[in-house]
Amino acid sequence: MMICKVIGHVWATKKEEALNGLKLMVVQEVETNEKNGSTFVATDSVGAGIGERVLVVTGSTARRAVGSDDRPVDCAIVGIIDSLEVDREAAQQKKSR
Amino acid sequence: MMICKVIGHVWATKKEEALNGLKLMVVQEVETNEKNGSTFVATDSVGAGIGERVLVVTGSTARRAVGSDDRPVDCAIVGIIDSLEVDREAAQQKKSR
Amino acid sequence: MMICKVIGHVWATKKEEALNGLKLMVVQEVETNEKNGSTFVATDSVGAGIGERVLVVTGSTARRAVGSDDRPVDCAIVGIIDSLEVDREAAQQKKSR
Amino acid sequence: MMICKVIGHVWATKKEEALNGLKLMVVQEVETNEKNGSTFVATDSVGAGIGERVLVVTGSTARRAVGSDDRPVDCAIVGIIDSLEVDREAAQQKKSR
Amino acid sequence: MMICKVIGHVWATKKEEALNGLKLMVVQEVETNEKNGSTFVATDSVGAGIGERVLVVTGSTARRAVGSDDRPVDCAIVGIIDSLEVDREAAQQKKSR
């Protein structure tokens, strides 16, 4: 799963019928080591709001989050992050092989 | 889903039979933080035109958009974007962990 | 689908039996905005030749192009590009949001 | 599989029901040739601890590691690395074609 | 498929049971235009040795190479490259559109 932040909404009237009723949010990947991550459009079924950090799944897995394997969805918000604890020492320490 | 812009057409006479009848468009990823995104060829079943911003799905999900899981398609336009609203503050704000 | 160019051949005697009989070509992604794209090995069932631009699918979709879902193939040429028309204005114009 | 290091935990109360009971860890890709790899959230069913190097699978394969194909999981720790032996000569030697 | 070189071994005692009996090799992508490619862990069923160039498949396709769709494998060596012939002219020539 990617760690993303919800940064916007998107509206599309002309679309595949199987997308009807899905809420589409703009999410941006939040990387520990990069300034600005990539931007995607994800469906939301957990009620995420602008500015919240969320867990996002992609690919065939995203279809598991929208109730039907037939919907053309490849990016879905599956959780709202309450808290994220990173061990800075482990993260920054060079691998020693 | 990726946010893309339709930038062209592609024609291929010699191709897999299962691709017959599909409209093939050239799309370019539109990123918030990069100048020029990657370019792909996507099928279009929603009637997108040159210059329009569209929602594009990839991988196995693209086959959900072309009516049959047997067609060798891995990139499909599934919606035309009417409006896209990004909260600049949320997008640019550094993550605070 | 990726827009690629066929740049070579590859031979492998010791391989998974299910790959027998497949023609393996070296393809290179042709990006509008990058000098040199990534290089992959793709199966070819449409008769592509060195130097030709082709449409390439990846992932589970590639197995749709080789007749059986059991063959360990994740990259396949599915069409030879006759002509590709890109609207330079649409491609270079900055997104205006 | 990616070679990753476990660097943290993540908590999410509001999430897809099918994620209940899964342990979610923050993992960072450990690359031979890059300083800092990407960060992901992965499920853990092998008991990995902070600082340990692990094998991580992504995509549909991750669902094979969580007992059910219906869970919206696209990243999973499948092993704890005891030892990793890289032949520096093979790794650094330029390809000779 | 990716063109990779086998550069090492990896051992993991604590792992998903379904991985038992699989040989795990460290492979590095060999790109025509980049110095050092990414590093992955792949299963090997074709008997590849350190320093050999191999064909590697990823994603769901890798499970086709390990005998069972239930094994949590997303990267597999499927062939040992005997010879690879790249047309330098085709590879370096700028695309002319």
Side-chain angles (χ1 to χ4, degrees), chain C residues 68-84:
Chain C
S68 158
D69 193 58
D70 291 331
R71 299 181 111 168
V73 168
D74 65 356
C75 197
I77 298 172
V78 294
I80 299 173
I81 296 178
D82 296 322
S83 133
L84 189 154

Side-chain angles (χ1 to χ4, degrees), chain D residues 7-97:
Chain D
I7 62 166
H9 294 92
V10 66
W11 289 270
T13 314
K14 248 175 128 175
K15 60 174 176 286
E16 293 283 330
E17 250 188 70
L19 292 176
N20 285 342
L22 294 173
K23 195 165 74 162
L24 301 177
M25 313 288 276
V26 185
V27 297
Q28 183 172 33
E29 203 176 353
V30 173
E31 272 284 358
T32 313
N33 300 300
E34 302 198 2
K35 289 120 285 198
N36 291 295
S38 296
T39 307
F40 305 94
V41 171
T43 59
D44 173 36
S45 51
V46 296
I50 300 287
E52 284 189 299
R53 279 188 304 174
V54 291
L55 294 172
V56 170
V57 294
T58 57
S60 59
T61 300
R63 299 198 303 268
R64 301 302 182 275
V66 291
S68 158
D69 192 57
D70 292 330
R71 297 181 112 168
V73 168
D74 65 357
C75 197
I77 298 171
V78 294
I80 300 173
I81 296 178
D82 295 322
S83 134
L84 190 153
E85 207 174 283
V86 168
D87 183 313
R88 288 288 157 204
E89 206 171 309
Q92 271 146 29
Q93 172 193 328
K94 292 273 179 192
K95 66 255 167 199
S96 53
R97 291 215 282 256

